[in-house]
């Protein structure tokens, strides 16, 4: 009689932790990706004015959020984390299968972070002539994204994908626009982007993770007041 | 094997960014037509193929353009999966690590390198050099952890991170020469110093890494242009 060795396999739930802040859009990208794939994870809320030892240990180079911790190993930089999440959990693919389409998604995500985001940030932070120039640049960049949306509901096609997530921070522009009375994404010039914004923001998984609008407004009003106080006291 | 005429690369011999896809194509054993841009003038083809950034390199695969050097390298790896070795590692965590350091090199380390030549005054220059040295120390550490005793970041063969960093070795040597520095110091970064020699000697790299002499001459040219008074 063959002795059967029964191995007791201790099933451990995979540990997935996301280091984030309540308002930063970059960890939000990772939260969206994990939610879309139905991955259970624990949020670790950081205060950037008082960073935890764990954060400093897991992201010594940049000391920033987000950091994804998976089975004790940290991954930093939101777009890099997105690809890691997509490669680790195969359900609900975020990047397209075709190599050319993947290259395009990566190209536009990088364009979003390197060009669109800084120009919009500059537009909201500056005044007068500087602001005009920043707005003009931002509009030029947004026009390129508008063209990318032709014939598509989402950047990813019929469903939300990697590029939608990467550009998702645009959906929060309404908050900045309200606080500063500056119109960046007007529907006349950017009808497709505005339509996309609505579809994206209304998607249940996306809506679920949004930081509370009233808290964001309060935060940016306070930041603007501090900025105005500083510049008027000189 | 890519058919002749199917793959084209728009670029220039001095550009480290252009070198990246060239090394990748060499690793994959792919033939391509190198369309060399003239310095100071952008071709119609370049402006048409990369209207967003108007920069080199641009890969044209069956006339479809791919832009941004590291995006191109990943495209080459994914479009020809069964040609040559894999450029990205196979494990998702290793891939994330390679991408992380490649992004660090592009966003922090290389800008600090080009900051040395641009620095005005001794103090600024010393600060720029210190930044580069600090970065190299981080990369030395990363090399130790990632290579695990193998010759390259990618293991036995050149991979994504080797390409991302190695493309700058020509410029590192020019900087060492013009500034009288030793950046890839055997004493300070022994792993990287030896890795650099292996990288430059590799068959995928040898033909596309410009000679330091030629690059130094080119550097003088751009610095002269950079410092020249604006045209009347």
């Amino acid at each position: 009689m063959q002795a059967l060795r029964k191995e007791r396999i201790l099933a451990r739930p995979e540990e997935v932790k996301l280091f984030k802040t309540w308002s930063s859009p970059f960890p939000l990208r990772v939260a969206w990706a994990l939610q879309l794939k139905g991955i259970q994870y624990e949020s670790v809320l950081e205060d950037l004015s008082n960073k935890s030892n764990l954060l400093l240990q897991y992201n010594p180079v940049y000391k920033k959020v987000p950091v994804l911790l998976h089975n004790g190993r940290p991954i930093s930089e939101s777009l890099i984390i997105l690809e890691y999440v997509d490669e680790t959990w195969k359900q609900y693919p975020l990047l397209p299968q075709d190599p050319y389409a993947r290259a395009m998604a990566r190209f536009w995500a990088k364009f979003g972070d390197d060009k669109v985001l800084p120009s919009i940030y500059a537009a909201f932070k500056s005044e007068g002539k500087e602001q005009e120039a920043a707005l003009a640049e931002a509009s030029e960049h947004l026009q390129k994204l508008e063209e990318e949306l032709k014939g598509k509901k989402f950047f990813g096609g019929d469903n939300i994908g990697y590029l939608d997530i990467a550009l998702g921070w645009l959906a929060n522009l309404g908050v900045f626009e309200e606080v500063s009375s500056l119109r960046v994404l007007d529907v006349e010039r950017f009808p497709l982007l505005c339509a996309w914004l609505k579809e994206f923001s209304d998607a249940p998984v996306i809506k679920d993770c949004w930081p509370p609008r009233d808290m964001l407004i309060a935060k940016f009003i306070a930041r603007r007041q501090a900025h105005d106080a500083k510049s008027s006291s000189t | 094997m890519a058919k002749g005429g199917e793959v084209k690369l728009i670029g220039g011999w001095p550009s480290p960014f252009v070198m990246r896809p060239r090394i990748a194509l060499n690793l994959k054993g792919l033939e391509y037509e190198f369309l060399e841009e003239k310095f100071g003038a952008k071709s119609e083809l370049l402006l048409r193929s990369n209207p967003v950034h108007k920069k080199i390199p641009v890969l044209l695969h069956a006339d479809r353009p791919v832009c941004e050097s590291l995006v191109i390298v990943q495209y080459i790896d994914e479009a020809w999966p069964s040609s040559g070795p894999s450029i990205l590692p196979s494990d998702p965590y290793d891939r994330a690590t390679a991408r992380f350091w490649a992004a660090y090199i592009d966003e922090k380390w290389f800008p600090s390198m080009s900051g040395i030549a641009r620095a005005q005054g001794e103090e600024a220059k010393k600060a720029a050099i210190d930044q580069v040295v600090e970065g190299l120390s981080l990369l030395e550490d990363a090399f130790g952890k990632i290579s695990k005793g193998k010759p390259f970041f990618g293991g036995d063969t050149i991979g994504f991170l080797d390409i991302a960093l190695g493309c700058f070795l020509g410029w590192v040597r020019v900087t060492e020469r013009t500034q009288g520095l030793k950046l890839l110091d055997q004493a300070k970064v022994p792993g990287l110093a030896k890795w650099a020699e292996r990288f430059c000697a590799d068959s995928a790299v040898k033909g596309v890494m410009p000679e330091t002499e030629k690059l130094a001459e080119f550097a003088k040219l751009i610095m002269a242009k950079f410092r020249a008074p604006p045209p009347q």
Side-chain angles (χ1 to χ4, degrees):
Chain A
M1 195 162 65
Q2 240 181 355
L4 288 164
R5 238 174 23 127
K6 278 192 181 140
E7 283 181 46
R8 277 218 321 210
I9 299 155
L10 293 160
R12 258 186 317 199
E14 282 191 331
E15 183 193 56
V16 183
K17 283 192 181 155
L18 176 63
F19 287 75
K20 58 184 252 193
T21 60
W22 72 266
S23 59
S24 171
F26 301 104
L28 203 50
R29 292 169 165 174
V30 182
W32 287 330
L34 293 169
Q35 298 264 66
L36 284 166
K37 289 182 182 274
I39 310 296
Q40 300 273 48
Y41 67 98
E42 185 193 324
S43 282
V44 180
L45 221 60
E46 286 286 329
D47 171 7
L48 294 181
S49 63
N50 185 18
K51 296 177 184 180
S52 74
N53 284 328
L54 276 182
L55 179 65
L56 300 176
Q57 179 193 328
Y58 291 140
N59 191 358
V61 176
Y62 299 113
K63 306 175 176 54
K64 283 183 176 176
V65 291
V67 173
L68 185 78
L69 197 70
H70 181 213
N71 292 332
R73 294 196 300 183
I75 304 113
S76 308
E77 295 297 281
S78 59
L79 293 182
I80 292 175
I81 298 173
L82 284 185
E83 294 224 34
Y84 174 82
V85 168
D86 208 29
E87 290 164 5
T88 302
W89 293 283
K90 305 289 191 190
Q91 67 274 29
Y92 197 103
L94 298 172
L95 274 166
Q97 291 284 52
D98 171 66
Y100 191 76
R102 291 163 77 87
M104 290 300 103
R106 288 174 177 139
F107 173 87
W108 288 112
K110 192 171 196 299
F111 175 74
D113 278 2
D114 291 350
K115 298 284 181 198
V116 188
L117 199 147
S119 64
I120 289 186
Y121 188 67
F124 281 111
K125 266 191 91 176
S126 56
E127 280 153 32
K129 280 254 174 273
E130 245 186 71
Q131 189 177 62
E132 271 175 49
L135 265 175
E137 199 193 316
S139 297
E140 218 183 283
H141 296 324
L142 288 168
Q143 192 53 49
K144 302 197 166 86
L145 294 180
E146 176 80 9
E147 278 159 35
E148 270 311 293
L149 269 176
K150 281 209 175 89
K152 291 194 276 197
K153 183 176 170 190
F154 295 109
F155 286 100
D158 292 326
N159 298 303
I160 289 173
Y162 169 87
L163 187 52
D164 301 279
I165 295 175
L167 294 170
W169 59 269
L170 279 168
N172 231 9
L173 276 188
V175 172
F176 285 95
E177 288 177 333
E178 188 172 319
V179 171
S180 64
S181 23
L182 190 72
R183 205 90 180 82
V184 176
L185 269 174
D186 54 285
V187 70
E188 297 82 44
R189 279 186 303 158
F190 307 111
L192 298 175
L193 271 173
C194 291
W196 166 78
L197 265 183
K198 188 151 195 328
E199 289 282 1
F200 181 79
S201 311
D202 286 348
V205 162
I206 305 302
K207 220 191 326 211
D208 237 14
C209 303
W210 273 131
R213 189 188 171 87
D214 50 355
M215 280 179 74
L216 278 175
I217 290 179
K219 172 178 172 165
F220 294 127
I221 288 178
R223 189 187 277 184
R224 193 179 186 82
Q225 284 173 343
H227 176 259
D228 289 343
K230 239 194 342 196
S231 49
S232 64
S233 62
T234 41
Chain B
M1 193 79 145
K3 293 192 282 279
E6 190 178 298
V7 182
K8 298 185 173 118
L9 185 73
I10 309 174
W13 67 266
S15 165
F17 301 102
V18 170
M19 210 188 304
R20 290 169 167 178
R22 297 187 81 183
I23 296 171
L25 290 164
N26 288 346
L27 283 168
K28 293 282 184 181
L30 297 166
E31 278 176 26
Y32 65 97
E33 194 184 340
F34 187 49
L35 301 170
E36 186 118 36
E37 286 284 301
K38 283 197 191 66
F39 179 64
K42 296 185 187 194
S43 70
E44 264 304 307
L45 181 64
L46 174 62
L47 297 174
R48 227 182 328 131
S49 310
N50 190 357
V52 175
H53 300 298
K54 306 176 175 57
K55 283 183 174 173
I56 50 174
V58 178
L59 183 84
L60 291 163
H61 183 199
D63 294 324
R64 288 200 304 185
V66 184
C67 308
E68 295 294 286
S69 62
L70 293 181
V71 174
I72 299 173
V73 171
Q74 290 185 92
Y75 174 77
I76 291 169
D77 203 27
E78 291 171 0
W80 289 279
S82 25
S83 305
S86 270
I87 297 174
L88 268 288
S90 48
D91 173 72
Y93 190 76
D94 295 338
R95 291 159 75 90
T97 304
R99 287 175 176 137
F100 175 87
W101 286 111
Y104 168 80
I105 287 160
D106 277 1
E107 283 155 35
K108 300 283 174 210
W109 187 76
F110 181 64
S112 68
M113 260 276 292
S114 35
I116 296 178
R118 284 199 308 266
Q120 308 275 31
E122 279 312 304
E123 242 186 78
K125 187 159 280 188
K126 187 175 184 304
I129 293 168
D130 285 345
Q131 259 199 309
V132 173
V133 169
E134 203 185 300
L136 281 172
S137 163
L138 277 180
L139 290 165
E140 170 79 9
D141 212 49
F143 179 71
K145 293 198 180 101
I146 295 167
S147 65
K148 300 190 188 75
K150 297 227 165 142
F152 299 106
F153 286 96
D156 292 313
T157 51
I158 283 176
F160 185 74
L161 189 47
D162 299 281
I163 294 173
L165 182 58
C167 66
F168 294 114
L169 288 172
W171 284 102
V172 169
R173 288 178 176 155
V174 169
T175 306
E176 287 180 327
R177 183 191 290 204
T178 53
Q179 305 291 338
L181 291 169
K182 194 85 184 90
L183 290 170
L184 283 172
D185 191 341
Q186 285 272 14
K188 294 199 183 132
V189 287
L192 283 181
K194 289 201 193 73
W195 163 83
E197 282 171 28
R198 287 193 291 266
F199 182 84
C200 294
D202 193 274
S203 54
V205 175
K206 257 202 311 229
V208 299
M209 176 73 77
E211 287 160 27
T212 311
E213 195 60 57
K214 210 176 164 200
L215 209 57
E217 280 304 311
F218 180 78
K220 278 202 204 120
L221 212 93
I222 12 173
M223 281 314 286
K225 256 199 159 187
F226 179 67
R227 293 222 171 97
Q232 298 292 33

